[in-house]
Amino acid sequence: MTVVRIETLTIPGAPLGGENPLPFFRDAQADLPVRALPSVPAAKREGFGAQAGFRVLPYRMQDDYGRARAPLDLKALVLENDFLTATFLPELGGRLYSLLHRPSSRELLARNPVFQPANLAIRNAWFSGGVEWNIGQFGHTFGTCAPLFAASIRGERGEPGLRLYEFERCRGLLWQLDCYLPPESPLLLVYARVVNPGQAATSMYWWTNTAVPEAPGVRVLAPTDATLYLGDFRELSFGAADMPELPSLPGRDASYALNFPFANEFFFQCEAADMPWEAALDASGAGLFEASTPRLAYRKLFCWGTHAGGRRWQEFLSEPGQAYLEIQAGLAPTQLHSQPMPAGAVWDWTQAFGLLEADPARVHAASWPDARHAADQAIKALIDPARLAAIEAGCRARADAPADELLHAGAGWGALEAARRQAAGAPAFPAAYDFPAATLGAEQERWLALLRDGRLPEHSPSALPGEWMTQPEWEALLEASLRRADGRHWYSLLHIGVMRMERGDELGAEAAWHEANARTPSAWAYRNLAALERRRGNAEFAREYYATAWDLAAGGGAPPAALAQEYLQLLCATGEFARAHAVYEQLPASQRARDRIRILRGRIALALGDLDEAERALQHEYADIREGETELTDIWFELRARRLAAETGRPLDAALRAEAESRYPPPPAIDFRMNNSPEKA
């Protein structure tokens, strides 16, 4: 029997906190420079790096979290039959948190026993474990730590299922996952559909990231010999090679993650397979496998590596003893390849997840072709391509069947877009995408007013500016409102500047923000001008704009921590440490306690010769740390060098700094450096 139920999952967790009110603008270059080595076929060079530059708007950053954990209650949606218990977290991007094989009581996923955000996603906050559904833009997706919509649906024989769905605001895409566990099925079936309802093509990205336990003897297999491997993270250089020995790991079998002494990833090119799949099998030949219909044609292995930084990161994201690797499935040859999606297009695919138990001697054979063929046979004994295709056809026929009950609601942006389309006479969303009007809130109300009244309501410059909008259709409405006397005010000019900036019109954005300040000066418009000048390399102008923004914000009370952080970062970057110290002294204790401001305090103290204060900055356990970041270790080494100079009377030169780095390795708690290539391992 299949059931769907709502439970409460209580685990130790660090709360996410509020969102950063400041807009983070996309990279000036939409494409990311990637170096394809000569071994990469010409067909795999097309679209390499396209649209992979940083882009987050209209979403805001999630960077207000720490490492203080307390019991955290999370809503859990459980889909269960006699074989599997699948637990989804609708408040956290629909993450498949756990997949328990009931007959053996075996957890098939890397199930994180804690919720610990870290700075690894597009919006900053990300957590490890389970199955993550990534859409829209290169990186851990916008909604990975945000709520989405969930509803109960019906399967082929009337059994309950679960639908997860949302409106992705950056690319303007609709997406859904219809999840089924038929009564006699040992496999979780996930039908995915993505719709581009717009009138223009967009760049589409999808990767299903599955975390599984990493342990000695675990081998990752896929139905191909061909890979694109990452040669060097710093250069983003890729080459092509056949398994199992890759140039990035000479002399070792790359299908065993623990053979990598450094963090690495490579992509299996499975487009020729009749049913692409990937499996992570332990020494006994058992473990999770995932298979899909052909559209989801590519697979990836990611591992942290066995070096100290990799081990540190795994424990930092969870607890000791929770090592994991990831097997991933995507639409394009690598995660740095774009995939153009035409206007009006509908793409779908189906994935199956379950326990594979294969002959260990065969799947661990020294011959890679023999091992992958053995796994392929074992998987097809559970589900073959024809059966999966038939399942997909049935799912597609039910994709717009009305849901039985809404189990969880996301934000009101889908309902807002539905209202805009209705007002514009555009076709309604497909029936699966039911965004109730009741989800519309204060953030959407101002845009509804623009739709209804032809103008954006005015807003107090001392209040937080609210969420951003970058969709072209809304930009056209806002531009039209500026032609009205009552529609051209500081707040509408602030928003139109953000929209212009995001589509690359720097001069238009600059003009809008200057006019906004001429009408009603605000910290928000001055901050945006500062960010623009910093992008242009004009540190002096940026500093003065930040100073004005700071003064305006201080006049309305305590300036937001995000503004304080950016201002301090600029002052430190330009070497104005005394001025930075004066700004820091104005901050309330709550802002001084934030991770990034603590780190900046350490830099300021070190530059001003307060070595004890710099030492204290290194005692804190930080949460907001980016992968491979060296800020803390840089402070550590410079501090050690300065103390060594004071003790010995020697000059603080390159030789002494090199000696300090050799003599004083940093404590593991602050060492987040990553070895990403064989040369550094």
Side-chain angles (χ1 to χ4, degrees):
M1 185 172 105
T2 302
V3 297
V4 171
R5 63 178 181 269
I6 300 174
E7 294 183 349
T8 298
L9 173 70
T10 302
I11 57 174
L16 277 172
E19 295 182 0
N20 189 319
L22 305 177
F24 279 53
F25 302 113
R26 66 189 299 178
D27 285 349
Q29 298 297 322
D31 298 346
L32 200 63
V34 179
R35 187 165 71 93
L37 300 176
S39 57
V40 176
K44 296 293 173 73
R45 295 170 183 258
E46 185 176 349
F48 212 172
Q51 298 295 315
F54 173 78
R55 183 178 182 182
V56 68
L57 284 171
Y59 298 98
R60 300 186 298 184
M61 302 300 280
Q62 298 172 298
D63 55 8
D64 185 16
Y65 55 85
R67 289 189 63 81
R69 299 176 191 156
L72 182 66
D73 290 340
L74 297 170
K75 187 174 184 178
L77 303 179
V78 178
L79 176 62
E80 183 177 84
N81 68 4
D82 291 339
F83 293 92
L84 293 170
T85 300
T87 303
F88 297 85
L89 303 180
E91 296 165 309
L92 296 169
R95 183 76 60 100
L96 176 54
Y97 176 73
S98 168
L99 188 61
L100 180 71
H101 184 252
R102 292 167 59 81
S104 64
S105 298
R106 176 173 180 153
E107 175 59 58
L108 300 181
L109 303 176
R111 179 186 184 278
N112 197 333
V114 305
F115 175 71
Q116 178 55 64
N119 185 358
L120 293 169
I122 300 173
R123 296 177 66 187
N124 185 312
W126 180 81
F127 68 105
S128 67
V131 181
E132 177 188 26
W133 322 99
N134 295 287
I135 184 172
Q137 181 68 19
F138 168 58
H140 292 290
T141 195
F142 308 112
T144 198
C145 285
L148 47 53
F149 289 82
S152 57
I153 55 175
R154 293 286 165 178
E156 182 180 21
R157 289 177 287 172
E159 77 278 4
L162 180 65
R163 174 173 294 158
L164 307 173
Y165 64 102
E166 191 50 282
F167 173 60
E168 195 283 279
R169 299 177 63 209
C170 181
R171 299 292 185 187
L173 299 169
L174 297 164
W175 65 280
Q176 76 190 83
L177 302 173
D178 287 354
C179 308
Y180 299 103
L181 270 177
E184 295 86 24
S185 175
L187 304 178
L188 172 66
L189 304 170
V190 180
Y191 169 76
R193 182 174 71 158
V194 179
V195 179
N196 177 7
Q199 297 181 336
T202 189
S203 178
M204 173 48 184
Y205 175 97
W206 182 281
W207 282 82
T208 301
N209 292 3
T210 302
V212 296
E214 180 185 66
V218 171
R219 189 178 206 183
V220 174
L221 297 164
T224 184
D225 297 339
T227 71
L228 291 180
Y229 67 91
L230 180 58
D232 194 316
F233 273 94
R234 295 165 300 179
E235 297 180 347
L236 291 178
S237 63
F238 282 83
D242 288 346
M243 290 291 288
E245 185 177 323
L246 304 181
S248 56
L249 191 70
R252 301 185 191 181
D253 188 330
S255 63
Y256 292 91
L258 288 178
N259 279 343
F260 282 90
F262 50 92
N264 204 255
E265 58 190 42
F266 57 89
F267 297 83
F268 294 104
Q269 306 299 290
C270 305
E271 66 269 34
D274 53 4
M275 186 176 72
W277 56 264
E278 194 170 14
L281 306 179
D282 64 18
S284 72
L288 179 119
F289 85 95
E290 166 276 323
S292 75
T293 46
R295 184 183 287 277
L296 204 66
Y298 301 93
R299 296 299 186 269
K300 170 185 162 181
L301 182 152
F302 167 79
C303 62
W304 285 102
T306 58
H307 67 293
R311 298 299 96 185
R312 167 63 177 146
W313 265 106
Q314 301 224 40
E315 294 182 358
F316 181 74
L317 293 167
S318 182
E319 292 180 338
Q322 300 295 325
Y324 73 94
L325 59 88
E326 289 193 5
I327 57 175
Q328 305 179 7
L331 292 173
T334 75
Q335 288 165 336
L336 291 171
H337 280 79
S338 70
Q339 185 106 110
M341 187 175 190
V346 178
W347 291 354
D348 61 0
W349 58 89
T350 301
Q351 291 183 268
F353 300 83
L355 174 65
L356 182 66
E357 296 176 295
D359 181 343
R362 296 187 65 200
V363 296
H364 288 282
S367 165
W368 169 262
D370 289 349
R372 68 174 178 83
H373 283 306
D376 189 74
Q377 290 174 351
I379 289 170
K380 287 175 179 173
L382 292 171
I383 188 162
D384 60 35
R387 176 62 184 144
L388 192 55
I391 289 170
E392 180 168 285
C395 291
R396 185 180 297 126
R398 296 188 301 276
D400 282 316
D404 288 348
E405 181 185 0
L406 185 66
L407 301 176
H408 192 77
W413 299 107
L416 177 69
E417 177 59 11
R420 186 203 64 78
R421 292 176 68 85
Q422 183 179 29
F429 286 154
Y433 306 102
D434 179 22
F435 300 111
T439 60
L440 292 164
E443 290 291 351
Q444 292 80 40
E445 180 55 39
R446 61 174 60 97
W447 299 100
L448 280 173
L450 173 63
L451 191 64
R452 180 182 62 243
D453 305 328
R455 63 184 295 271
L456 201 65
E458 292 209 46
H459 192 73
S460 170
S462 62
L464 294 176
E467 295 208 42
W468 307 103
M469 178 70 77
T470 56
Q471 192 173 325
E473 293 86 352
W474 287 102
E475 183 178 356
L477 290 171
L478 189 55
E479 289 280 10
S481 78
L482 297 179
R483 294 193 287 271
R484 295 175 41 165
D486 62 349
R488 196 175 190 93
H489 49 76
W490 83 270
Y491 192 59
S492 59
L493 289 161
L494 174 74
H495 273 279
I496 203 68
V498 170
M499 291 171 164
R500 291 171 180 173
M501 183 73 177
E502 191 64 6
R503 64 173 169 78
D505 181 9
E506 290 189 1
L507 294 178
E510 183 178 29
W513 294 328
H514 277 304
E515 184 180 346
N517 284 326
R519 290 173 177 269
T520 305
S522 74
W524 317 114
Y526 274 108
R527 177 271 175 186
N528 289 351
L529 288 167
L532 175 57
E533 293 300 343
R534 192 168 186 187
R535 174 190 288 231
R536 291 170 170 171
N538 298 329
E540 183 177 349
F541 287 158
R543 181 180 63 248
E544 295 314 308
Y545 284 137
Y546 270 124
T548 304
W550 179 259
D551 291 342
L552 285 167
L563 180 60
Q565 177 181 315
E566 289 192 5
Y567 190 20
L568 288 172
Q569 286 172 332
L570 188 279
L571 293 173
C572 288
T574 56
E576 297 176 81
F577 293 103
R579 189 170 178 178
H581 178 72
V583 171
Y584 174 83
E585 288 296 313
Q586 299 175 44
L587 302 182
S590 61
Q591 294 189 7
R592 294 186 187 190
R594 287 174 63 106
D595 276 7
R596 285 289 153 190
I597 291 176
R598 281 182 186 266
I599 295 172
L600 288 162
R601 174 63 180 124
R603 287 187 62 191
I604 294 164
L606 189 61
L608 297 179
D610 188 348
L611 303 189
D612 291 341
E613 181 61 33
E615 195 87 60
R616 281 191 289 273
L618 297 176
Q619 306 307 311
H620 180 68
E621 186 178 17
Y622 291 95
D624 185 8
I625 299 294
R626 195 76 183 170
E627 181 182 353
E629 185 172 329
T630 65
E631 185 84 14
L632 293 172
T633 49
D634 289 346
I635 294 174
W636 168 269
F637 288 129
E638 181 65 16
L639 179 60
R640 299 275 78 79
R642 290 183 180 232
R643 290 207 185 278
L644 188 59
E647 292 167 4
T648 63
R650 293 164 54 191
L652 187 64
D653 55 16
L656 187 136
R657 286 188 168 94
E659 181 182 334
E661 186 166 346
S662 174
R663 287 177 56 180
Y664 302 107
I670 66 168
D671 192 358
F672 295 91
R673 297 172 297 170
M674 295 293 292
N675 287 351
N676 297 125
S677 64
E679 292 77 12
K680 299 195 295 180

